[in-house]
Amino acid sequence: MSSVDWPALKSAALAAQGRAYAPYSDYQVGAALLAGSGEVVTGCNVENATYGAACCAERTAVFTAVAQGLTSFRAIAVATGGPEAGTPCGICRQVLAEFSDGALEVLCFTDEGAEARYTLAQLLPHAFRLK
Ligand code: THU
């Protein structure tokens, strides 16, 4: 299996971050998911006046990919702002775990140069599995 083209995945995440709809938090997030097929699917956070109806960038990307028939993933790049790279929230970790084993690579980075790389197993040990 070829190695992940991180620069390409990061630039797709940055482009998606530019499409974030975050008028309430003003915290823009972009995600780019690399499917097993090699296709890249992106997502951004989409907020709502009810607050609770907001969807994170990572879940937007996963749900978009699944709707396109892609259900196996190798890596995800997540772009946030600020001095520290934000990591996927707990719900997004569990959603990622639904479609990937713990080897999924997760790269979190910011436009200020912060960067951290994890496996999903590091971010979500003992993920819940129904079967
Ligand atoms: N957000 C994400 O898009 N991904 C995460 O993993 C954490 C939080 C979004 C949700 C909301 O629109 C904003 O960031 C502030 O929480």
Side-chain angles (χ1 to χ4, degrees), residues 28-118:
Q28 289 81 14
V29 187
L33 196 54
L34 176 64
S37 62
E39 286 166 82
V40 173
V41 179
T42 61
C44 59
N45 54 333
V46 181
E47 298 185 347
N48 187 271
T50 63
Y51 286 39
C55 190
C56 292
E58 299 90 326
R59 267 177 291 151
T60 306
V62 172
F63 295 158
T64 301
V66 173
Q68 290 176 9
L70 303 170
T71 53
S72 116
F73 308 115
R74 294 174 51 196
I76 185 168
V78 180
T80 57
E84 272 186 38
T87 58
C89 78
I91 296 173
C92 289
R93 294 177 196 200
Q94 185 65 44
V95 167
L96 288 166
E98 183 75 23
F99 298 102
S100 341
D101 62 22
L104 180 83
E105 297 193 77
V106 183
L107 177 73
C108 305
F109 70 102
T110 78
D111 45 8
E112 293 183 23
E115 189 166 305
R117 205 157 124 186
Y118 311 91

XYZ file of all heavy atoms in Angstrom, residues 28-118:
632
model
N -13.343 27.498 12.909
C -13.487 26.811 11.621
C -12.646 25.541 11.589
O -11.466 25.565 11.966
C -13.054 27.731 10.472
C -14.014 28.890 10.213
C -13.826 30.065 11.155
O -12.812 30.153 11.866
N -14.772 30.975 11.196
N -13.257 24.465 11.160
C -12.560 23.171 11.084
C -12.760 22.578 9.688
O -13.863 22.654 9.124
C -13.103 22.182 12.140
C -12.251 20.903 12.172
C -13.146 22.819 13.530
N -11.692 21.999 9.161
C -11.774 21.284 7.884
C -11.183 19.904 8.046
O -10.221 19.717 8.800
N -11.759 18.933 7.367
C -11.243 17.560 7.449
C -11.142 16.977 6.053
O -11.989 17.250 5.187
C -12.167 16.708 8.315
N -10.110 16.189 5.829
C -9.955 15.473 4.560
C -9.663 14.015 4.885
O -8.699 13.692 5.594
C -8.824 16.079 3.730
N -10.511 13.169 4.365
C -10.485 11.740 4.664
C -9.956 11.003 3.446
O -10.457 11.197 2.335
C -11.935 11.345 4.951
C -12.320 10.064 5.630
C -11.615 9.888 6.963
C -13.845 10.083 5.835
N -8.951 10.176 3.655
C -8.410 9.361 2.557
C -9.030 7.972 2.627
O -8.819 7.229 3.600
C -6.882 9.269 2.676
C -6.186 8.371 1.658
C -6.358 8.907 0.229
C -4.696 8.225 2.004
N -9.795 7.639 1.596
C -10.445 6.325 1.568
C -9.460 5.258 1.093
O -8.428 5.566 0.481
C -11.650 6.383 0.639
N -9.790 4.017 1.387
C -8.957 2.892 0.938
C -8.794 2.885 -0.566
O -7.762 2.448 -1.090
N -9.775 3.403 -1.276
C -9.750 3.461 -2.747
C -8.779 4.514 -3.269
O -8.510 4.573 -4.453
C -11.147 3.821 -3.246
O -11.506 5.115 -2.753
N -8.298 5.393 -2.372
C -7.432 6.494 -2.792
C -8.179 7.805 -2.957
O -7.563 8.860 -3.097
N -9.513 7.730 -2.953
C -10.294 8.968 -3.074
C -10.203 9.799 -1.795
O -10.075 9.240 -0.700
C -11.767 8.641 -3.349
C -12.023 8.161 -4.775
C -13.394 7.535 -4.938
O -14.349 8.285 -5.094
O -13.476 6.295 -4.902
N -10.287 11.114 -1.947
C -10.268 12.027 -0.804
C -11.641 12.690 -0.694
O -12.167 13.203 -1.690
C -9.164 13.102 -0.971
C -9.266 14.146 0.136
C -7.787 12.434 -0.965
N -12.212 12.632 0.508
C -13.523 13.241 0.757
C -13.341 14.257 1.876
O -12.721 13.956 2.906
C -14.556 12.170 1.175
C -15.909 12.814 1.460
C -14.693 11.116 0.084
N -13.896 15.447 1.674
C -13.687 16.496 2.668
C -14.974 16.836 3.413
O -16.076 16.495 2.980
C -13.138 17.782 2.012
O -14.088 18.256 1.067
C -11.806 17.527 1.341
N -14.796 17.523 4.531
C -15.937 18.001 5.310
C -15.527 19.219 6.109
O -14.330 19.450 6.364
N -16.508 20.016 6.467
C -16.260 21.173 7.336
C -17.318 21.160 8.432
O -18.321 20.445 8.327
C -16.331 22.478 6.543
S -17.921 22.754 5.745
N -17.080 21.924 9.497
C -18.124 22.009 10.518
C -19.258 22.890 10.011
O -19.035 23.887 9.316
C -17.588 22.458 11.883
C -16.804 23.754 11.868
O -16.209 24.124 10.863
N -16.804 24.450 12.987
N -20.465 22.482 10.337
C -21.669 23.198 9.907
C -22.502 23.455 11.156
O -23.039 22.514 11.754
C -22.480 22.375 8.882
C -23.710 23.163 8.431
C -21.619 22.004 7.674
N -22.545 24.706 11.585
C -23.249 25.048 12.828
C -24.702 25.412 12.547
O -25.142 25.475 11.388
C -22.498 26.174 13.544
C -21.096 25.722 13.935
C -20.335 26.746 14.759
O -20.754 27.912 14.843
O -19.306 26.346 15.341
N -25.441 25.613 13.632
C -26.876 25.879 13.519
C -27.296 26.793 14.661
O -26.712 26.746 15.752
C -27.621 24.531 13.603
C -29.096 24.681 13.338
O -29.887 24.917 14.251
N -29.492 24.555 12.097
N -28.327 27.592 14.416
C -28.820 28.524 15.433
C -29.272 27.800 16.698
O -29.294 28.394 17.781
C -29.968 29.355 14.868
N -29.612 26.527 16.580
C -29.996 25.767 17.778
C -28.770 25.214 18.513
O -28.921 24.504 19.510
C -30.897 24.578 17.421
O -30.158 23.680 16.590
C -32.161 25.013 16.711
N -27.612 25.492 18.021
C -26.334 25.016 18.578
C -26.210 23.491 18.530
O -25.265 22.950 17.990
C -26.131 25.506 20.023
C -25.777 26.982 20.134
C -26.379 27.934 19.314
C -24.846 27.427 21.065
C -26.057 29.279 19.412
C -24.522 28.776 21.178
C -25.137 29.694 20.340
O -24.828 31.023 20.440
N -27.168 22.794 19.142
C -27.047 21.327 19.255
C -27.091 20.612 17.919
O -26.654 19.461 17.825
N -27.586 21.262 16.899
C -27.687 20.613 15.581
C -26.400 20.749 14.771
O -26.333 20.310 13.626
C -28.856 21.191 14.800
N -25.354 21.311 15.365
C -24.095 21.467 14.632
C -23.476 20.113 14.325
O -23.672 19.136 15.057
C -23.118 22.299 15.464
N -22.746 20.055 13.231
C -22.014 18.830 12.895
C -20.545 19.172 12.707
O -20.194 20.151 12.039
C -22.580 18.194 11.622
S -21.914 16.528 11.336
N -19.692 18.360 13.312
C -18.241 18.564 13.206
C -17.748 18.251 11.790
O -18.379 17.481 11.044
C -17.502 17.641 14.166
S -17.743 18.013 15.898
N -16.596 18.808 11.473
C -15.988 18.598 10.160
C -15.704 17.111 9.894
O -15.926 16.608 8.787
C -14.686 19.388 10.079
N -15.207 16.415 10.909
C -14.833 15.007 10.711
C -16.047 14.163 10.380
O -16.020 13.305 9.499
C -14.154 14.457 11.973
C -12.863 15.164 12.363
C -13.080 16.356 13.298
O -14.117 17.048 13.170
O -12.208 16.577 14.152
N -17.146 14.420 11.106
C -18.359 13.636 10.825
C -18.957 14.011 9.482
O -19.464 13.150 8.763
C -19.383 13.816 11.948
C -19.250 12.712 13.008
C -20.215 12.941 14.136
N -19.838 14.112 14.895
C -20.694 14.894 15.546
N -21.981 14.632 15.514
N -20.250 15.920 16.246
N -18.900 15.281 9.131
C -19.382 15.678 7.805
C -18.633 14.887 6.731
O -19.226 14.380 5.778
C -19.185 17.192 7.579
O -19.805 17.902 8.644
C -19.786 17.640 6.273
N -17.310 14.773 6.904
C -16.494 14.044 5.918
C -16.862 12.555 5.896
O -17.033 11.970 4.823
C -15.011 14.224 6.231
N -16.984 11.955 7.076
C -17.302 10.516 7.120
C -18.677 10.256 6.510
O -18.843 9.348 5.688
C -17.252 9.973 8.570
C -17.778 8.539 8.630
C -15.831 10.025 9.123
N -19.662 11.058 6.875
C -21.023 10.802 6.385
C -21.105 11.046 4.871
O -21.806 10.325 4.154
C -22.037 11.681 7.133
C -22.129 11.354 8.618
C -22.620 12.305 9.511
C -21.738 10.125 9.119
C -22.719 12.016 10.875
C -21.833 9.834 10.489
C -22.318 10.779 11.360
N -20.384 12.045 4.400
C -20.355 12.296 2.953
C -19.728 11.112 2.224
O -20.233 10.644 1.193
C -19.565 13.585 2.651
O -20.191 14.676 3.320
C -19.516 13.884 1.163
N -18.626 10.604 2.779
C -17.939 9.466 2.147
C -18.854 8.238 2.114
O -18.974 7.565 1.086
C -16.645 9.157 2.907
N -19.502 7.960 3.247
C -20.380 6.781 3.299
C -21.517 6.933 2.290
O -21.876 5.984 1.588
C -20.901 6.555 4.735
C -21.952 5.450 4.759
C -19.741 6.198 5.670
N -22.045 8.141 2.176
C -23.128 8.380 1.211
C -22.650 8.186 -0.227
O -23.453 7.947 -1.123
C -23.696 9.786 1.405
N -21.331 8.283 -0.430
C -20.761 8.059 -1.766
C -20.350 6.607 -1.962
O -19.766 6.251 -2.982
C -19.539 8.965 -1.976
C -19.899 10.436 -2.099
C -18.672 11.339 -2.214
O -17.548 10.874 -2.360
N -18.891 12.631 -2.143
N -20.591 5.779 -0.948
C -20.254 4.361 -1.075
C -18.874 3.995 -0.562
O -18.406 2.880 -0.772
N -18.202 4.920 0.116
C -16.857 4.660 0.645
C -16.967 4.370 2.136
O -17.469 5.202 2.893
C -15.948 5.872 0.404
C -15.831 6.307 -1.061
C -15.122 7.657 -1.167
C -15.077 5.254 -1.861
N -16.495 3.203 2.539
C -16.659 2.835 3.955
C -15.362 2.339 4.588
O -15.387 1.812 5.698
C -17.742 1.737 4.111
O -17.428 0.656 3.246
C -19.127 2.275 3.784
N -14.248 2.473 3.876
C -12.985 2.096 4.515
C -11.991 3.227 4.336
O -11.879 3.801 3.245
C -12.498 0.769 3.936
O -11.293 0.914 3.255
N -11.314 3.561 5.415
C -10.482 4.762 5.423
C -9.090 4.481 5.960
O -8.910 3.653 6.853
C -11.162 5.856 6.261
C -12.577 6.107 5.834
C -13.640 5.828 6.678
C -12.849 6.576 4.561
C -14.945 6.028 6.271
C -14.149 6.782 4.133
C -15.204 6.505 4.994
N -8.113 5.226 5.411
C -6.716 5.037 5.823
C -6.215 6.174 6.696
O -5.369 5.975 7.577
C -5.824 4.949 4.582
C -6.102 3.719 3.740
C -5.302 3.760 2.455
N -3.897 4.007 2.738
C -3.007 4.403 1.829
N -3.378 4.623 0.594
N -1.753 4.594 2.171
N -6.666 7.383 6.407
C -6.102 8.548 7.106
C -7.078 9.701 7.059
O -7.948 9.768 6.184
C -4.783 8.958 6.430
N -6.908 10.611 8.019
C -7.693 11.844 8.011
C -6.790 12.985 8.461
O -5.994 12.835 9.394
C -8.958 11.725 8.904
C -9.834 12.980 8.779
C -8.613 11.418 10.356
C -11.221 12.830 9.402
N -6.899 14.108 7.767
C -6.200 15.330 8.184
C -7.253 16.310 8.671
O -8.308 16.457 8.043
C -5.412 15.923 7.011
N -6.968 16.952 9.803
C -7.922 17.867 10.420
C -7.246 19.227 10.618
O -6.224 19.327 11.303
C -8.417 17.321 11.782
C -9.420 18.290 12.413
C -9.036 15.934 11.623
N -7.834 20.253 10.001
C -7.282 21.607 10.098
C -8.117 22.434 11.061
O -9.339 22.532 10.917
C -7.288 22.270 8.719
N -7.454 23.007 12.066
C -8.120 23.928 12.988
C -7.303 25.217 13.026
O -6.253 25.310 12.395
C -8.227 23.329 14.416
O -6.923 22.996 14.877
C -9.113 22.091 14.435
N -7.790 26.189 13.803
C -7.041 27.432 13.916
C -6.326 27.501 15.255
O -6.457 26.603 16.082
N -5.555 28.554 15.435
C -4.934 28.788 16.739
C -3.583 28.138 16.917
O -3.068 27.478 16.023
N -3.002 28.309 18.104
C -1.640 27.817 18.340
C -1.552 26.306 18.571
O -0.499 25.707 18.410
C -1.199 28.571 19.606
C -2.477 28.948 20.294
C -3.526 29.095 19.212
N -2.676 25.694 18.957
C -2.661 24.244 19.217
C -3.588 23.529 18.257
O -4.697 23.983 18.007
C -3.148 23.966 20.646
C -2.036 24.009 21.660
C -2.508 23.595 23.043
O -3.340 22.671 23.131
O -2.052 24.219 24.000
N -3.137 22.376 17.760
C -3.963 21.604 16.834
C -5.081 20.911 17.605
O -4.822 20.166 18.555
C -3.097 20.576 16.107
N -6.326 21.174 17.202
C -7.459 20.524 17.850
C -7.568 19.080 17.384
O -7.335 18.779 16.211
N -7.926 18.211 18.290
C -8.110 16.800 17.943
C -9.605 16.505 17.805
O -10.436 17.239 18.353
C -7.505 15.873 19.021
O -8.120 16.179 20.277
C -5.998 16.050 19.119
N -9.963 15.441 17.086
C -11.391 15.122 16.924
C -12.086 14.925 18.270
O -11.511 14.333 19.197
C -11.358 13.809 16.121
C -10.050 13.830 15.397
C -9.101 14.530 16.324
N -13.332 15.402 18.352
C -14.088 15.244 19.600
C -14.438 13.766 19.809
O -14.257 12.923 18.919
C -15.356 16.096 19.560
S -16.689 15.380 18.582
N -14.958 13.462 20.968
C -15.244 12.066 21.326
C -16.241 11.406 20.388
O -16.083 10.238 20.012
N -17.282 12.156 20.010
C -18.285 11.561 19.111
C -17.645 11.246 17.762
O -17.866 10.175 17.184
C -19.485 12.512 18.943
C -20.203 12.712 20.287
C -20.465 11.970 17.906
C -21.307 13.761 20.252
N -16.836 12.170 17.251
C -16.171 11.925 15.961
C -15.209 10.746 16.048
O -15.080 9.967 15.093
C -15.435 13.183 15.498
S -16.568 14.487 14.964
N -14.531 10.582 17.170
C -13.635 9.426 17.321
C -14.427 8.130 17.205
O -14.011 7.167 16.551
C -12.909 9.491 18.672
C -11.956 10.658 18.752
C -11.268 10.784 20.107
N -10.681 12.119 20.217
C -9.718 12.469 21.059
N -9.213 11.586 21.899
N -9.258 13.706 21.075
N -15.585 8.095 17.867
C -16.401 6.880 17.812
C -16.946 6.655 16.394
O -17.020 5.518 15.926
C -17.553 6.971 18.814
C -18.388 5.708 18.918
C -17.616 4.499 19.476
O -16.883 4.619 20.454
N -17.755 3.364 18.829
N -17.296 7.728 15.698
C -17.781 7.595 14.310
C -16.648 7.087 13.407
O -16.857 6.206 12.570
C -18.353 8.941 13.805
C -18.568 8.926 12.296
C -19.670 9.237 14.518
N -15.443 7.609 13.593
C -14.302 7.116 12.816
C -14.067 5.633 13.103
O -13.762 4.850 12.195
C -13.043 7.928 13.139
C -13.026 9.363 12.590
C -11.910 10.185 13.241
C -12.856 9.365 11.065
N -14.238 5.240 14.369
C -13.991 3.843 14.760
C -15.000 2.889 14.119
O -14.707 1.704 13.944
C -14.041 3.709 16.282
N -16.162 3.402 13.759
C -17.173 2.562 13.107
C -16.670 2.036 11.764
O -17.035 0.941 11.345
C -18.449 3.390 12.913
C -19.613 2.636 12.307
C -20.275 1.679 13.298
O -20.141 1.896 14.516
O -20.910 0.720 12.828
N -15.825 2.836 11.111
C -15.420 2.518 9.747
C -13.923 2.247 9.598
O -13.439 2.129 8.482
C -15.828 3.667 8.807
C -17.313 3.879 8.781
C -17.890 4.925 9.488
C -18.131 3.012 8.083
C -19.269 5.120 9.479
C -19.510 3.182 8.067
C -20.081 4.242 8.772
N -13.185 2.222 10.681
C -11.748 2.014 10.580
C -11.284 1.208 11.775
O -11.920 1.264 12.830
C -10.988 3.339 10.622
O -11.787 4.421 10.320
N -10.183 0.527 11.610
C -9.610 -0.089 12.806
C -8.700 0.950 13.461
O -8.575 2.076 13.002
C -8.905 -1.408 12.478
C -7.750 -1.210 11.522
O -7.237 -0.081 11.455
O -7.364 -2.184 10.851
N -8.054 0.556 14.521
C -7.254 1.515 15.286
C -6.063 2.056 14.534
O -5.425 3.012 14.972
N -5.756 1.476 13.367
C -4.574 1.915 12.612
C -4.817 3.184 11.809
O -3.871 3.747 11.249
C -4.115 0.794 11.682
N -6.059 3.650 11.736
C -6.341 4.889 11.005
C -5.397 5.991 11.488
O -5.246 6.213 12.687
C -7.791 5.337 11.234
C -8.180 6.621 10.514
C -8.572 6.339 9.069
C -9.320 7.341 11.233
N -4.774 6.678 10.539
C -3.846 7.755 10.913
C -4.586 9.089 10.941
O -5.351 9.401 10.026
C -2.691 7.806 9.920
C -1.864 6.524 9.952
C -0.557 6.690 9.223
O 0.348 7.318 9.808
O -0.465 6.226 8.091
N -4.343 9.852 11.995
C -5.041 11.119 12.215
C -3.991 12.222 12.366
O -3.199 12.209 13.315
C -5.905 11.048 13.501
C -6.679 12.350 13.686
C -6.853 9.845 13.458
N -3.990 13.140 11.414
C -3.040 14.266 11.470
C -3.823 15.539 11.768
O -4.723 15.922 11.025
C -2.323 14.419 10.128
C -1.364 15.604 10.042
C -0.116 15.346 10.860
C -0.992 15.904 8.608
N -3.480 16.183 12.875
C -4.149 17.423 13.282
C -3.151 18.561 13.135
O -2.007 18.444 13.577
C -4.602 17.324 14.744
S -5.655 15.886 15.049
N -3.586 19.650 12.520
C -2.638 20.749 12.288
C -3.370 22.083 12.260
O -4.597 22.134 12.140
C -1.864 20.523 10.982
C -2.683 20.678 9.737
C -2.597 21.843 8.978
C -3.561 19.696 9.316
C -3.363 22.015 7.824
C -4.331 19.850 8.170
C -4.237 21.000 7.427
N -2.585 23.154 12.396
C -3.168 24.500 12.345
C -2.417 25.356 11.337
O -1.284 25.030 10.945
C -3.092 25.234 13.708
O -1.769 25.730 13.885
C -3.469 24.325 14.858
N -3.060 26.464 11.001
C -2.424 27.399 10.076
C -1.248 28.110 10.731
O -0.499 28.826 10.075
C -3.459 28.410 9.559
C -4.333 28.966 10.678
O -4.038 28.692 11.860
O -5.300 29.682 10.375
N -1.067 27.919 12.060
C 0.074 28.544 12.746
C 1.250 27.576 12.870
O 2.220 27.856 13.578
C -0.358 29.052 14.135
C -1.334 30.206 14.033
C -1.729 30.791 15.393
O -0.978 30.630 16.378
O -2.810 31.407 15.456
N 1.148 26.430 12.242
C 2.292 25.518 12.187
C 2.288 24.383 13.188
O 3.175 23.534 13.169
N 1.308 24.341 14.104
C 1.250 23.223 15.049
C 0.805 21.965 14.303
O -0.011 22.032 13.379
C 0.265 23.535 16.164
N 1.346 20.837 14.709
C 0.994 19.585 14.030
C 1.202 18.417 14.982
O 2.180 18.390 15.719
C 1.892 19.419 12.797
C 1.459 18.273 11.913
C 2.125 18.326 10.537
O 2.020 19.367 9.859
O 2.756 17.327 10.166
N 0.267 17.502 14.981
C 0.400 16.309 15.824
C -0.223 15.141 15.081
O -1.248 15.290 14.420
C -0.301 16.519 17.163
N 0.433 13.979 15.179
C -0.058 12.805 14.468
C -0.344 11.687 15.461
O 0.435 11.457 16.383
C 0.997 12.354 13.463
C 0.379 11.587 12.323
C 1.297 11.665 11.124
N 1.635 10.318 10.685
C 2.509 10.064 9.738
N 3.174 11.045 9.161
N 2.734 8.837 9.381
N -1.460 11.034 15.276
C -1.899 9.962 16.161
C -2.420 8.800 15.319
O -2.721 8.964 14.137
C -3.062 10.419 17.055
C -2.859 11.733 17.761
C -3.267 12.932 17.166
C -2.268 11.793 19.020
C -3.091 14.146 17.814
C -2.095 13.008 19.669
C -2.503 14.180 19.052
O -2.331 15.387 19.686
